[in-house]
Amino acid sequence: MRIGAHYLGDGLCEFTVWAPLQTEVSVQITSPEPRTIPLRAYEAGYWRTIESGIAPNSRYGYLINGQVFPDPASRYQPDGVHEPSAVVDLDFKWSDRDWQGIPLESMIFYELHVGTFTPEGTFAAIIPRLPELKELGINAIELMPLSQVSGDGTEGKNVAYRNWGYDGVYPYSVQNSFGTPQELQQLVNACHQHGIAVVLDVVYNHLGPEGCYHGQFGPYFTEAYRTAWGNAINMDDAHSLGVRRHFIESALYWLREFHIDALRLDAVQAIYDFGAKHFLWELADEVAALSQELQRSLYLIAESDLNDPRLIRPVEQGGYNLNAQWSDDFHHSLHSLLTGERSGYYSDFGTCADLAKAYEHTFVYDWKFSEFRQRCHGVPCDDRPMHQFVVCIQNHDQVGNQPFGQRLGQLISFERVKLGAAAMLLSPYLPLIFMGEEYGETAPFTYFISHGDPDLVQAVREGRKREFREFHVQSDPPDAAAIDTFLQCKLDWSLRDQGNHQILLNWYRQLIQLRQTHPVLRTRDRECIQAIADDDNKTVVVRRWSKSRQQTGELVFAMNFNSEPVTLALPIRGKAAKYLDSAHETWAGPGTQTPSILSPKQTLTLAPSSVVLYEQE
């Protein structure tokens, strides 16, 4: 059954809700004309009715034990998490019939938060920016979670519901401060017209603490497992079938009704399921079936800190058959080299050997002892292709985990920012760029909330302080509930045309174009990469080549993480021509000493904090 309120047209609306432990359920229309409609019980705990005289935007809730609650599968909460749900007409005139999507191995992700990406903070305001993203080379935007979050509604919609999105309560809804469901459809349609795929970040490991009425309808939570957010979602206990369907139908809803191309699954390590068929396996099966039905590629990308390739292995190899997963080890290895940071989880990283291993083997921790965790962590993933892993040098978490939300450009020099960008974009993995990273945005990205419950607000404040103690930060983080904390996070688009910001933008554009067009950089084979670390000189040299008989050349790039010049010889067998040098004056560098043509065994001198790329004949 289609869960929630499904508008059928001509005033007909189908209401379906899962409430397995109830003996009586009614839908109560609160506006425009109040009335109460009994629902009929069906098998497996579902209640349903089809009613006439229901117009789009009608407000409703479910009457259970004398109280009215919003729909757990609400499509839209125009007045916030505590108020009635709205009937939504999703009939939309799509113009993307010929859209075939972007192959996973070619994706370049651009993560953005709708509320801070533009001054307006809306879906509609993103559309005029799409040509600039396309021109940069972006072919997939990743939207941070959209589910309705709590707020008191007194400060104007654009700030009353400020939140990162991971406190969402309704996994089918669209946050009202961003726009309507129809405006999200318009955004996706416009993205496809520009050749840009859309990835949606969804949270199926917990529900927000404020405005969550799911427990009134059924056993959505279990006391068998605890997460950082409280009792776990009930994926394997009694009555879990209805809970699993609730979240699987949510995923299919976004893919089918909004033409979303891929879902990023938040923190899957917190989805506890010890049944024979894990929820993620079942979800992958359902999405694969929908992909075949729609005749277009749909992808599931997991965020996980487990370093476990089971997520992306085929079912016949004991896996869940997801399409890709994040790899934090690449980020942590690179970040610690660029910044010198060694607190918190960065204490496990800091050597060039770590980064070299991340290039070749993806996971640095592959059943290796972790000092931070005080246990062995991860397993090898060399059996999985490199295009199944997403890497970054910045994202919402890594920037937000800084004491004051500082971006990389506020932590390191301009030369090292260029070095980090090249390290990521020249890698064989799928790169993710965090909004504004490409031009060195200076606005912070700190954690912000707008909860209406003062006790919850205080709990968040105290929790943030505890988190920062792990990184040995003595001062308090910015107040997550303050409006200014949110407003300061909005991007300043004017920077793109100024000084080093424009130079950095051109650097990203050049690297992305090279990545998309050069045959060697389009290769994702594990046997076609070699990384050589020299921790004494703080250098990493990476060789990449192609197995194709038509492409016999090699690319070699050398990265100097030292604050001093370093002299070395590249592992080339024939003459090599220089492609890029971040120290060149073109890129506002200090000046290059590397030769245009390099011969075997010839040494070159790398400028401090620089990268040079050569192509060997």
Side-chain angles (χ1 to χ4, degrees):
M1 293 184 178
R2 293 173 294 198
I3 307 168
H6 184 69
Y7 185 70
L8 303 175
D10 297 326
L12 287 178
C13 189
E14 177 184 64
F15 295 93
T16 304
V17 65
W18 183 69
L21 305 182
Q22 302 301 323
T23 58
E24 184 178 1
V25 180
S26 298
V27 59
Q28 183 163 306
I29 308 298
T30 60
S31 69
E33 297 181 6
R35 53 178 160 151
T36 302
I37 307 161
L39 272 62
R40 178 182 174 185
Y42 285 78
E43 63 180 9
Y46 289 95
W47 299 77
R48 177 175 174 266
T49 188
I50 295 179
E51 191 68 15
S52 61
I54 306 292
N57 300 317
S58 296
R59 305 292 201 268
Y60 73 97
Y62 288 110
L63 181 62
I64 295 178
N65 296 326
Q67 286 186 277
V68 178
F69 301 99
D71 187 350
S74 170
R75 271 50 172 172
Y76 193 43
Q77 293 291 125
D79 302 307
V81 296
H82 302 290
E83 301 303 318
S85 306
V87 174
V88 174
D89 183 2
L90 290 172
D91 185 25
F92 181 76
K93 293 183 179 179
W94 293 93
S95 59
D96 65 351
R97 180 172 298 179
D98 297 328
W99 171 251
Q100 296 298 310
I102 303 295
L104 179 66
E105 60 271 19
S106 300
M107 284 189 172
I108 297 176
F109 301 101
Y110 189 93
E111 184 187 25
L112 67 87
H113 178 272
V114 176
T116 57
F117 183 64
T118 65
E120 300 85 351
T122 62
F123 297 130
I126 296 173
I127 295 176
R129 300 294 184 182
L130 294 178
E132 293 166 279
L133 296 182
K134 180 66 176 178
E135 194 269 338
L136 173 64
I138 299 301
N139 58 19
I141 63 169
E142 181 177 306
L143 304 174
M144 289 176 64
L146 304 180
S147 295
Q148 185 65 44
V149 298
S150 58
D152 59 20
T154 62
E155 300 152 338
K157 265 190 180 177
N158 277 35
V159 294
Y161 300 99
R162 57 194 181 275
N163 197 291
W164 276 17
Y166 298 95
D167 290 329
V169 180
Y170 300 96
Y172 296 73
S173 69
V174 169
Q175 185 168 322
N176 58 10
S177 58
F178 295 163
T180 65
Q182 294 84 357
E183 287 171 325
L184 175 59
Q185 289 175 316
Q186 291 168 5
L187 170 60
V188 176
N189 194 54
C191 286
H192 290 172
Q193 289 175 329
H194 284 87
I196 298 174
V198 180
V199 183
L200 177 61
D201 194 339
V202 292
V203 183
Y204 295 155
N205 55 57
H206 75 285
L207 295 170
E210 183 178 357
C212 180
Y213 299 106
H214 286 63
Q216 305 292 334
F217 291 82
Y220 277 87
F221 304 95
T222 175
E223 296 182 356
Y225 322 109
R226 293 280 295 179
T227 73
W229 307 282
N231 287 344
I233 299 291
N234 176 20
M235 294 297 187
D236 65 359
D237 210 340
H239 301 288
S240 59
L241 177 62
V243 180
R244 294 166 73 101
R245 290 311 309 174
H246 182 78
F247 290 99
I248 287 173
E249 289 295 333
S250 164
L252 301 179
Y253 170 73
W254 294 115
L255 298 169
R256 181 189 294 113
E257 302 296 341
F258 292 88
H259 294 201
I260 298 293
D261 298 281
L263 300 176
R264 182 262 196 190
L265 308 174
D266 179 66
V268 298
Q269 72 272 7
I271 299 176
Y272 293 99
D273 180 4
F274 291 91
K277 186 168 187 176
H278 195 281
F279 167 79
L280 294 173
W281 176 3
E282 184 178 5
L283 176 62
D285 280 352
E286 295 272 6
V287 169
L290 180 62
S291 177
Q292 186 171 8
E293 174 192 331
L294 299 178
Q295 291 297 294
R296 61 183 177 93
S297 297
L298 304 173
Y299 304 113
L300 294 174
I301 304 168
E303 182 211 15
S304 169
D305 70 351
L306 297 179
N307 283 14
D308 186 355
R310 173 174 46 175
L311 294 168
I312 55 177
R313 283 188 178 132
V315 172
E316 55 268 23
Q317 295 180 20
Y320 300 154
N321 207 31
L322 303 180
N323 303 103
Q325 68 181 100
W326 283 29
S327 175
D328 281 342
D329 282 11
F330 185 93
H331 170 272
H332 297 347
S333 300
L334 185 55
H335 181 92
S336 59
L337 283 175
L338 291 171
T339 65
E341 192 169 351
R342 297 292 184 274
S343 57
Y345 44 72
Y346 295 122
S347 62
D348 276 342
F349 300 88
T351 68
C352 290
D354 291 333
L355 182 59
K357 185 175 181 179
Y359 271 110
E360 289 190 0
H361 301 288
T362 311
F363 294 154
V364 176
Y365 284 83
D366 50 6
W367 203 240
K368 174 183 171 183
F369 184 78
S370 160
E371 290 287 346
F372 174 69
R373 294 177 172 85
Q374 284 296 296
R375 59 176 173 81
C376 286
H377 179 64
V379 292
C381 63
D382 290 328
D383 61 313
R384 304 316 308 150
M386 290 175 148
H387 72 259
Q388 285 195 288
F389 297 93
V390 179
V391 300
C392 68
I393 59 173
Q394 301 185 68
N395 64 38
H396 69 275
D397 271 329
Q398 304 308 337
V399 176
N401 285 343
Q402 293 298 319
F404 299 96
Q406 304 103 309
R407 294 165 176 268
L408 206 52
Q410 279 70 61
L411 302 175
I412 58 178
S413 68
F414 184 66
E415 296 306 307
R416 295 178 88 79
V417 168
K418 291 184 292 179
L419 172 58
M424 173 183 65
L425 290 167
L426 295 177
S427 82
Y429 304 114
L430 304 183
L432 179 141
I433 296 169
F434 184 58
M435 60 176 190
E437 170 190 325
E438 73 277 14
Y439 62 86
E441 175 61 60
T442 58
F445 192 75
T446 51
Y447 189 65
F448 44 82
I449 58 170
S450 59
H451 299 311
D453 182 348
D455 292 336
L456 179 58
V457 171
Q458 187 58 32
V460 169
R461 288 172 176 148
E462 295 301 320
R464 295 294 287 175
K465 292 178 184 178
R466 286 193 299 272
E467 287 178 19
F468 284 114
R469 290 191 194 112
E470 289 186 1
F471 290 85
H472 308 293
V473 176
Q474 300 304 317
S475 57
D476 291 343
D479 183 3
I483 295 177
D484 285 346
T485 300
F486 165 71
L487 294 177
Q488 289 170 3
C489 294
K490 286 184 177 284
L491 300 189
D492 181 359
W493 281 79
S494 68
L495 293 177
R496 295 166 63 92
D497 303 318
Q498 301 176 21
N500 280 359
H501 297 287
Q502 186 177 49
I503 291 172
L504 184 61
L505 180 63
N506 290 334
W507 176 249
Y508 268 83
R509 186 181 292 116
Q510 178 85 356
L511 288 166
I512 291 173
Q513 182 183 31
L514 187 60
R515 177 186 179 88
Q516 292 174 327
T517 58
H518 199 287
V520 169
L521 293 180
R522 291 167 63 91
T523 299
R524 305 284 185 267
D525 297 310
R526 284 195 181 274
E527 58 269 33
C528 294
I529 186 170
Q530 179 190 28
I532 305 164
D534 180 350
D535 273 302
D536 290 334
N537 288 311
K538 293 187 178 180
T539 63
V540 178
V541 176
V542 179
R543 291 177 57 228
R544 294 191 59 186
W545 61 92
S546 172
K547 291 192 302 184
S548 170
R549 293 180 180 178
Q550 289 75 33
Q551 178 61 37
T552 58
E554 288 188 8
L555 290 179
V556 181
F557 59 98
M559 297 173 285
N560 180 13
F561 294 94
N562 206 318
S563 58
E564 301 293 334
V566 172
T567 300
L568 73 166
L570 297 187
I572 57 175
R573 295 183 299 275
K575 287 189 176 181
K578 184 165 65 174
Y579 239 116
L580 283 174
D581 187 339
S582 64
H584 196 278
E585 292 86 346
T586 301
W587 309 113
T592 178
Q593 300 180 44
T594 56
S596 299
I597 301 295
L598 191 67
S599 300
K601 298 184 180 180
Q602 178 183 355
T603 60
L604 55 81
T605 300
L606 282 178
S609 305
S610 70
V611 56
V612 63
L613 172 67
Y614 281 89
E615 181 177 39
Q616 179 181 292
E617 295 177 0

